[in-house]
């Protein structure tokens, strides 16, 4: 088989250094991306010209597809284990824009190569490296990947077309949906940073500004599969936050007489994310001959973080309405942002990580310029001191509020048109560590609550900033029953795992979210239960 290097046809830059089959180069389709001049118009103009408005609609609503697995003739891994027989191993991961692209690729494909990177960590031991190899071997066997925070042509992720390049490297079919067109005015050279230290401001400005030739400024979600993908569509969720209007508002200059006033305003400007678009769900069908009915419906969701819990509940209810008529098995997965709050940012490194590649350097440079705790105030800090280890527990107004509980209550009570339901069981014999309770079969539990999937860069030794934000919800197949305990086992979830050690094994962790998997049986289990 002949091989060559993939080049981005819109850029002279070498985007992708991996070797991939020539056949895969011709298997992608996508709408026309924006020119740099168009991105500047999208960032600066409230009312768009009709032609640009139409193009924006096409970019936001047209799935980008590629058939790399089919083109390469690759077959699914179909891992097998007792007592399940062959399974569909599904993975969800919010990969934080793909900023650590090479580590993401290694974690999904190469146990030995990943172990080499993990061994560079001074904290690595032979025992931890052996465990990491074993876990990467499990991740490698996933035939379905559901990814949030996937970039195309952003400086922060080295201008990778993250979903396409991962699909080509892993020889998987894929579909990508655009959540946002990223329109930061500093990135586009439309605004200059104002800071007391002019030299520091100039260097940071240079770090933030993007290359016009390579910038595509797209960000979204993706589904990758070794099985054929059919009928992909993008559902745009009800808006809970206006990412263009609200993020474009000028920051009011308050407390001018205070010593750090101008620097506080600077940091507030740095945290804004001017964007066009909004949260989405990608819905697609997988052609899996062994699955019940030969088809599995996948919904890759990403709910809003800058809103109250009740609006996330509205977004989930909208998704459920769209899935109502699905009669076969269903996989819903994604970052549901189940913090119970509006997702305020706590630390300066976390702010800079979304904007600047070498955020640690700039964090040190700016530490004496402004105090991030003062910036967000003690009220925001108090919100983050609480632990969100189990957002499924009952809401007790005033005494023990849990605003996310109602989203899970809706999911538990929901019935599809055929009477099917999401599997909320927690049978300890179907888990990797013997821990049962609600949703344990599809989402790994910990000693208290769930294994966390998200952590802030500074987590204060576990007391702040660890959350269960990412979820699998599975609809198995079989005769509908009146009680959850009697729901069918055919295509029901087993052996949920959260891979915190893989995520944190390298010198710099791969993402602020850890990957997670479940196994879904492809054969009828004895008794169907």
């Amino acid at each position: 088989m002949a091989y060559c290097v993939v080049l981005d046809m819109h850029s002279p830059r070498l985007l992708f250094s991996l070797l991939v089959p020539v056949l895969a180069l011709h298997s992608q389709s996508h709408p026309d991306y924006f020119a740099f001049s168009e991105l500047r118009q999208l960032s600066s103009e409230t009312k768009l010209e009709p032609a640009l408005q139409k193009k924006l609609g096409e970019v936001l609503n047209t799935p980008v597809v590629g058939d790399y697995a089919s083109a390469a003739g690759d077959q699914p891994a179909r891992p097998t284990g007792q007592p399940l027989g062959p399974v569909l191993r599904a993975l969800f991961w919010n990969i934080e824009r793909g900023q650590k692209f090479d580590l993401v690729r290694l974690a999904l494909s190469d146990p030995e190569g990943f172990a080499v990177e993990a061994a560079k960590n001074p904290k690595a031991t032979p025992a931890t490296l052996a465990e990491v190899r074993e876990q990467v071997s499990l991740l490698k066997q996933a035939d379905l990947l559901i990814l949030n925070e996937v970039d195309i042509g952003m400086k922060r992720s080295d201008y990778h077309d993250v979903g396409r390049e991962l699909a080509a490297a892993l020889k998987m079919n894929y579909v990508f949906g655009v959540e946002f067109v990223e329109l930061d005015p500093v990135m586009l050279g439309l605004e200059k940073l104002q800071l007391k230290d002019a030299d520091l401001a100039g260097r940071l400005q240079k770090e933030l500004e993007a290359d016009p030739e390579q910038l595509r400024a797209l960000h979204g979600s993706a589904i990758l599969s070794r099985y054929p993908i059919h009928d992909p569509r993008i559902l745009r969720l009800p808006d809970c936050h206006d990412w263009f209007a609200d993020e474009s508002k000028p920051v009011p200059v308050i407390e001018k007489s205070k010593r750090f006033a101008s620097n506080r305003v600077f940091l507030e400007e740095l945290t804004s994310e001017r964007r066009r678009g909004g949260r989405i769900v990608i819905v697609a069908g997988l052609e899996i001959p062994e699955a019940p009915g030969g088809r599995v419906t996948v919904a890759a969701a990403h709910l809003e973080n800058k809103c109250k819990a009740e609006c996330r509940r509205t977004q989930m209810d909208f998704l459920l309405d769209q899935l109502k008529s699905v009669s076969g098995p269903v996989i819903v997965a994604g970052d549901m942002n189940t913090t119970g709050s509006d997702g305020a940012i706590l630390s300066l490194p976390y702010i800079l990580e979304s904007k600047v590649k070498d955020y640690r350097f700039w964090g040190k440079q700016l530490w004496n310029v402004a105090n991030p705790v003062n910036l967000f105030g003690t009220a925001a800090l108090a919100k983050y001191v609480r632990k969100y280890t189990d957002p499924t527990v009952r809401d007790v107004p005033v005494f023990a509020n849990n605003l996310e509980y109602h989203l899970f209550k809706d999911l538990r009570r929901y019935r599809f048109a055929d009477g099917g339901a999401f599997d909320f069981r927690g049978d300890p014999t179907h888990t990797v560590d013997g821990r049962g309770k609600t949703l344990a079969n599809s989402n790994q539990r910990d000693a208290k609550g769930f294994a966390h999937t998200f952590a802030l860069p500074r987590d204060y030794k576990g007391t702040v900033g660890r959350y269960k934000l990412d979820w699998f919800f599975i609809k198995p197949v079989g005769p509908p029953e009146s009680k959850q305990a009697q729901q069918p086992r055919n295509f029901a979830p087993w052996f949920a795992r959260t891979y915190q050690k893989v995520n944190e094994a390298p010198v710099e962790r791969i993402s602020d979210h850890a990957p997670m998997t479940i196994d879904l049986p492809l054969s009828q289990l004895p008794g169907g239960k």
Side-chain angles (χ1 to χ4, degrees), residues 16-298:
F16 189 22
S17 61
L18 301 172
L19 296 177
V20 298
V22 171
L23 198 54
L25 302 182
H26 308 289
S27 57
Q28 186 200 34
S29 65
H30 61 76
D32 289 336
Y33 295 150
F34 297 107
F36 188 72
S37 59
E38 292 175 319
L39 292 171
R40 296 182 70 147
Q41 291 180 59
L42 289 168
S43 177
S44 60
E45 298 177 11
T46 302
K47 185 175 177 58
L48 302 177
E49 298 175 355
L52 186 56
Q53 184 68 54
K54 180 182 178 182
K55 185 172 183 177
L56 176 63
E58 291 173 348
V59 170
L60 291 177
N61 294 290
T62 305
V64 178
V65 298
D67 60 349
Y68 298 148
S70 302
D74 265 30
Q75 298 299 312
R78 296 173 69 256
T80 301
Q82 294 297 329
L84 302 181
V87 300
L88 169 65
R89 180 162 298 153
L91 171 146
F92 172 76
W93 197 357
N94 180 323
I95 58 172
E96 198 177 5
R97 307 168 181 88
Q99 291 183 114
K100 304 292 194 303
F101 176 85
D102 289 333
L103 288 175
V104 171
R105 176 181 59 81
L106 288 173
L108 297 174
S109 64
D110 187 349
E112 292 304 320
F114 188 83
V116 169
E117 293 298 318
K120 297 175 184 178
N121 191 330
K123 298 180 181 179
T125 66
T128 59
L129 292 176
E131 186 173 2
V132 164
R133 284 190 189 91
E134 180 182 1
Q135 291 191 359
V136 172
S137 296
L138 296 173
L139 294 174
K140 181 180 179 181
Q141 294 178 316
D143 285 321
L144 169 63
L145 312 181
I146 300 169
L147 306 177
N148 282 165
E149 293 202 14
V150 179
D151 275 354
I152 295 181
M154 291 292 296
K155 184 175 184 178
R156 65 195 180 194
S157 46
D158 290 330
Y159 301 104
H160 284 290
D161 186 339
V162 173
R164 178 180 69 85
E165 295 178 33
L166 280 177
L170 303 175
K171 297 180 182 179
M172 302 182 85
N173 303 312
Y174 92 109
V175 55
F176 170 83
V178 176
E179 256 191 332
F180 299 110
V181 184
E182 303 282 2
L183 300 168
D184 182 85
V186 177
M187 175 185 74
L188 294 168
L190 294 170
E191 294 182 6
K192 299 295 182 182
L193 294 174
Q194 302 298 322
L195 200 59
K196 288 181 179 180
D197 186 333
D199 180 64
L200 178 60
R203 286 186 289 149
L204 185 56
Q205 180 89 29
K206 184 177 180 180
E207 181 78 16
L208 290 169
E209 286 188 4
D211 179 357
E213 294 297 318
Q214 300 185 77
L215 184 66
R216 296 292 164 262
L218 302 179
H219 178 74
S221 296
I223 298 172
L224 283 67
S225 169
R226 293 191 179 92
Y227 293 97
I229 300 175
H230 294 294
D231 306 319
R233 57 193 175 108
I234 298 173
L235 302 179
R236 305 213 73 85
L237 294 172
D239 287 333
C240 293
H241 178 72
D242 191 327
W243 284 90
F244 184 76
D246 292 345
E247 301 288 318
S248 299
K249 293 177 181 177
V251 178
V253 181
I254 57 175
E255 303 176 359
K256 281 188 176 181
S257 61
K258 293 188 177 181
R259 179 179 179 185
F260 295 116
S262 63
N263 296 325
R264 286 163 63 91
V265 171
F266 158 73
L267 282 178
E268 289 183 37
E269 290 175 342
L270 191 61
T271 64
S272 68
E273 295 180 90
R274 188 178 302 180
R275 298 160 148 180
R276 300 269 187 177
R279 301 299 182 182
I280 66 168
V281 180
I282 305 174
V283 178
L286 301 187
E287 182 184 317
I288 304 178
E290 295 169 293
R295 190 180 181 96
V296 174
T297 299
V298 179

Side-chain angles (χ1 to χ4, degrees), residues 395-409:
D395 178 37
V396 182
V398 180
F399 298 101
N401 279 25
N402 174 22
L403 300 179
E404 302 292 353
Y405 165 74
H406 303 284
L407 181 151
F408 293 94
K409 181 180 71 174

Side-chain angles (χ1 to χ4, degrees), residues 76 310 345 452 512 523:
E310 60 196 53
I345 298 171
H452 71 268
D512 51 4
S523 57

